Amino acid sequence: MKKMKYILVTGGVVSGLGKGVTASSIGLLLKACGLRVTSIKIDPYLNSDAGTMSPFEHGEVFVLDDGGEVDLDLGNYERFLDVKLTRDNNITTGKIYQYVLDKERRGDYLGKTVQVVPHITDAIQEWIERVAMIPVDGKEGPADVCVIELGGTIGDIESMPFIEALGQFSYRVGAGNFCLIHVSLVPVLNVVGEQMIDPLFASWNKLINWPMNFCHLVYHVQKTKPTQHSVRGLRGLGLTPNILACRSTMALDDNVKEKLSQFCHVPAEDVITLYDVPNIWHVPLLLRDQKAHEAIFKVLNLPGIAKEPSLKEWTTRTEICDGLHERVRIAIVGKYTGLPDSYLSVLKALLHASVACRKKLVVDWVPASDLEDMTEIENLDAYKAAWKLLKSADGVLVPGGFGDRGVQGKILAAKYARENRIPFFGICLGMQVAVIEFARSVLGLTDANSTEFDPSTRNPCVIFMPEGSKTQMGGTMRLGSRRTYFEVMDCKSVKLYGNRRYIDERHRHRYEVNPDIVGRLENAGLSFTGKDESGQRMEVIEVPDHPYYIGVQFHPEFKSRPGKPSALFLGLVAAACGQLDALLQGFESREKVNCEIGNGPSNKKVYQNGYATKPANIIRDAIYSYCNGLSCTVI
Ligand code: GLN
C-alpha cells in the first residue's frame, strides 16, 4: 500500500500571518501537480468545536456537509481544493481530551496513569492517521498528501501536546514522508539614513541652495531575527523546518535568504517569500513561481511522480479578478459588521459571483442596529450613514445570525429592498426576517415575530423547531447537508439552480417558518418555492413579481467555489448589475442544449429537433459566454 505523505504547516512570530491561506495554497499547488490532497486543521483550544464560539472572537463558524461546526480555515481548504471535509478533519484539544477521558472511563487504560505523554500524544497521532485516510475529493481510496495546519503560534502553551505529538509523528512516519513548512514574518523596517553629498555633485545637479552637504534616504531593511527566534523555538521543541515561507511586504533579498538559510538550517532555495499580493488567489501562483512544489517533492521523495503544476484556469481567474473595475455594490446588513471574518464565506461567495459577472465587488457593511429608530434618536450620524449606505447599494444581503440585536434593522432593510425593488437575498435569519417583514407589512400583523425574539408574540411566524434543544447549546441545531425539493418549477431560484428538482445545501438553525402561517403568506404573494422532504419546513421563499427577492433557510455560501459560484449569490449579483435576464436565458438555453447534446462527443454536429445546429463545442462556448464563462458548468 502506498504511504501517505504529510505536510505540516506551523506559524511563528505573530498570529494572523495567513497560515490557513498558505496551507490551502500549498494543497492547491500539489493538486495542480496531479496529487490527491486532503487536509487537517488543528485548533489547540479547549472547545470541542467552533459551534459555541462567537463570530466576534473567531470569525464565522464554518459548517460541513456532515454537520460539523468548524474553524473557518476549513472553508479555505474546501474552496481552494474543491473537497468536502468531515468534522474529524478539525482536531481540537477538547475533542482529543474528550476521546481520552471517555476511554479512561471505560477502563480501556487498564489501570495505567493517564498522562499527556503518551496518552494524549498517542491519541493525536492516531486521529491524524485515521482522518488522513478519509477520501474527501469524491474519489475512492485515500489521498496522496495530507496537509496539516497547526493553529496558533509556536511557543503557545496550549499547542505543546500537539507539537510533541507531531515531533513523534514525524519520526514515526519517517524521513521522506513528512515535510515541515514554517510560516514566519520578515518585517521590513524603514530606516532613515544620511548620505554625504559631494559639493561637486550638488553643484552639477543644480542643488545650489542645498543647505547641507548630506541628504536623507529611507532604507527598507528586511529583518530576519524574529524568524530566527521562532525557528529556534521550533527546533527546541524537536521539529526541524524543511521549508520557510516568509510573509513580508516585499520579495526577500538574496542576502536575506542566505542569512535565514544559515541561521535556520534551511537551503536558501527553500526560503520562499509570500509578499503582499492584491488578492489571495495569487498565493498558489507565488508558491509555484518560487518552485515550492519542487522543494516539497524533494523532501517527500516525490520527483517523477508529480507533474508540473497546471494552474491555467486559476491564473486566468486571478488575472480577471485583478483587472475588474466596474463596480457592483452589495450592502451586507448584519450584526457582526465590525469583523468581516464573521461573514467570510458570504464574502467569498459574493466574490465568486462578482468575478463571474465581471464586476468588482464592493461590500458596504451596514450595522443593522444603526438602521433602527432608536439610533436616529441616540446617534443621528450613524443612522444617516447606515441608511445612505443601504440606499446606494445595488443589492442587499441579510446574512445569518443569532439573538435579537439588530433584528429590527434587518427587517427595515428587507422592507426597503422589497418596496423599492432592490435585489435582495436573505440567508437563514435573513430569510426569517423577510418572512416577518412580509407578515407585518403585507398581512398587517404588526406584532408578527420569531419566538426567538418575542416568545409570547400573538403571531409567531418563525418558531422553535420541535427537535432542537434550548438548554444544550453545542451541536443541537439542525446542522449540515439537508435536501430541499423545489415545489414551484417556474421561479428564479429553480432556474438558477439549473432546473434541478432538488438541491442539497448546508444548514445551521434552531428556528423555522411556522407552517401554520404559510397559506396566508402565499395568498398574499409570498411564494414558498422550496421545502424539505416533509413539505413542512420552508427552505426557499421568493417574491415572484420582484426583480430579485429570495430568502433561504440554508447557507449556500458554504458550498460556493472560485469558478463555481453558488447559484443564488450569482443571481443576486447578476440582478444587482442588470445581468439577471441574460443569465436566466443562458440557463434556459443550457437546459435546452443539455437535452439535445446529452453526454455526446463535444465535437459532433447536433441536429436533433432542429434546436442546436452547430457543433456541440461551439454551443458550449456560446453558453459559457452567456453565463460569463466561469459561472456554470456545461456538460
Ligand atoms: N437564529 C436563527 C435560528 O436559529 C437563524 C440562525 C442562522 O441564521 N444561522 O434559526
Side-chain angles (χ1 to χ4, degrees), residues 447-458:
D447 72 338
N449 214 332
S450 162
T451 53
E452 181 179 5
F453 315 125
D454 179 4
S456 55
T457 173
R458 277 181 299 126

Side-chain angles (χ1 to χ4, degrees), residues 400-402 428-429 432 452 508-511 555:
F402 296 83
C428 205
L429 179 63
Q432 296 172 0
E452 181 179 5
R508 184 172 187 249
H509 64 121
R510 283 198 177 84
Y511 293 81
H555 290 268

Side-chain angles (χ1 to χ4, degrees), residues 361-391:
L361 174 67
V362 179
V363 169
D364 287 324
W365 297 100
V366 182
S369 46
D370 285 0
L371 296 169
E372 295 172 359
D373 296 350
M374 249 343 244
T375 309
E376 188 178 15
I377 301 164
E378 288 169 0
N379 186 350
L380 186 60
D381 287 347
Y383 176 82
K384 280 189 184 156
W387 275 101
K388 192 167 166 212
L389 274 185
L390 185 70
K391 288 187 175 172

Side-chain angles (χ1 to χ4, degrees), residues 73-94:
D73 276 325
L74 276 85
N76 276 330
Y77 289 113
E78 285 208 346
R79 283 186 286 269
F80 271 48
L81 301 177
D82 196 10
V83 292
K84 282 185 184 157
L85 300 172
T86 72
R87 65 175 76 234
D88 285 352
N89 290 67
N90 194 187
I91 308 180
T92 66
T93 300

Side-chain angles (χ1 to χ4, degrees), residues 398-418:
V398 179
F402 296 83
D404 62 357
R405 190 166 65 78
V407 166
Q408 181 55 24
K410 291 176 189 176
I411 292 175
L412 290 169
K415 183 178 169 72
Y416 168 80
R418 188 178 56 77

Side-chain angles (χ1 to χ4, degrees), residues 3 26 48 56 114 159 181-182 244 298 332 345 452 471 482 507 541 544 551 595:
K3 268 201 147 181
I26 289 164
S48 289
F56 273 129
V114 182
S159 50
I181 303 180
H182 187 59
L244 288 182
K298 211 169 51 188
I332 298 189
S345 295
E452 181 179 5
T471 47
R482 306 293 172 107
H507 293 69
I541 60 159
C595 306

Side-chain angles (χ1 to χ4, degrees), residues 460-479:
C461 46
V462 177
I463 54 169
F464 188 72
M465 287 189 306
E467 79 255 43
S469 165
K470 282 188 180 170
T471 47
Q472 193 74 15
M473 295 313 262
T476 55
M477 286 187 254
R478 181 168 180 248
L479 285 167

